[in-house]
């Protein structure tokens, strides 16, 4: 679904405010705008995230918010760290993205679902990240199988 011009303006304004607050050292809680790329972790319009300022260097499995060269704001998991860039992947996507440090805005420090807050340091959250990051090969096979069975 394409974004309306109003949604894009609102997203730009929100992210400008988020950048300002993070630069001042504050954390920011917000409801991500749209998308299903982080399912099952984040449900569109239901789950809130808390962003904190970027650390000196992100680590594998961190969940940053960044701006793509095309201007979109995304939140995908870091699956590989190199000396010059990060490789990110949404929990519900199969395509890797190469992200430069200057594209990063902030990093998720907590998730709120149904009024319950979970820090990203929570052992259950860390276990989810480990398991989900290793299921990509199985998810590829599953999605291919679904595509073939839908065509018939």
């Amino acid at each position: 679904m394409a974004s309306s011009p109003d949604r894009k303006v609102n997203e730009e304004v929100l992210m400008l405010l988020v950048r300002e607050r993070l630069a001042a050292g504050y954390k920011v809680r917000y409801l991500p705008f749209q998308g299903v790329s982080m399912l099952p972790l984040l449900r569109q319009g239901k789950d809130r995230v808390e962003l904190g300022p970027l650390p000196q260097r992100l680590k594998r499995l961190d969940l940053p918010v960044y701006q793509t060269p095309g201007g979109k704001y995304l939140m995908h998991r870091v699956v590989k760290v190199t000396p010059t860039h990060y490789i990110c992947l949404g929990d519900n996507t199969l395509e890797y993205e190469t992200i430069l440090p200057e594209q990063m805005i902030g990093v998720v420090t907590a998730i709120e679902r149904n009024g319950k807050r979970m820090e990203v340091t929570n052992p259950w959250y860390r276990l989810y990240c480990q398991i989900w990051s290793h299921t990509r090969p199985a998810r590829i096979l599953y999605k291919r199988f679904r595509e073939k069975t839908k065509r018939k």
Side-chain angles (χ1 to χ4, degrees), residues 9-23:
V9 169
N10 290 339
E11 187 176 45
E12 288 292 333
V13 170
L14 173 68
M15 295 315 287
L16 179 62
L17 294 170
V18 166
R19 286 177 192 259
E20 288 176 3
R21 299 300 290 175
L22 292 174

Side-chain angles (χ1 to χ4, degrees), residues 68-142:
T68 66
K72 288 177 62 176
Y73 293 95
L74 297 177
M75 179 186 314
H76 289 164
R77 191 172 312 288
V78 174
V79 293
K80 185 176 181 182
V81 177
T82 76
T84 59
H85 61 274
Y86 301 100
I87 306 295
C88 294
L89 181 69
D91 286 359
N92 192 33
T93 63
L94 301 175
E95 300 298 321
Y96 293 111
E97 299 166 320
T98 301
I99 308 301
L100 301 173
E102 55 268 21
Q103 292 175 259
M104 300 294 179
I105 295 167
V107 65
V108 173
T109 57
I111 296 167
E112 186 178 308
R113 175 177 279 187
N114 300 328
K116 295 181 182 174
R117 179 184 166 85
M118 183 184 307
E119 303 279 336
V120 296
T121 55
N122 180 299
W124 290 110
Y125 173 81
R126 301 303 293 173
L127 178 62
Y128 163 83
C129 293
Q130 288 290 337
I131 291 170
W132 202 258
S133 69
H134 288 93
T135 62
R136 184 173 180 273
R139 287 184 283 138
I140 290 171
L141 291 174
Y142 173 73

Side-chain angles (χ1 to χ4, degrees), residues 28-92:
V28 178
R29 284 181 53 222
Y30 79 101
L31 190 67
F33 273 99
Q34 63 181 0
V36 294
S37 66
M38 285 306 295
L39 279 173
L41 177 68
L42 295 173
R43 300 168 303 166
Q44 178 181 339
K46 294 183 180 181
D47 301 324
R48 294 186 184 281
V49 296
E50 177 183 87
L51 291 184
L54 289 166
Q56 192 74 5
R57 192 83 175 130
L58 291 173
K59 301 180 304 279
R60 184 178 176 278
L61 302 182
D62 278 348
L63 189 53
V65 171
Y66 56 91
Q67 188 172 19
T68 66
K72 288 177 62 176
Y73 293 95
L74 297 177
M75 179 186 314
H76 289 164
R77 191 172 312 288
V78 174
V79 293
K80 185 176 181 182
V81 177
T82 76
T84 59
H85 61 274
Y86 301 100
I87 306 295
C88 294
L89 181 69
D91 286 359
N92 192 33

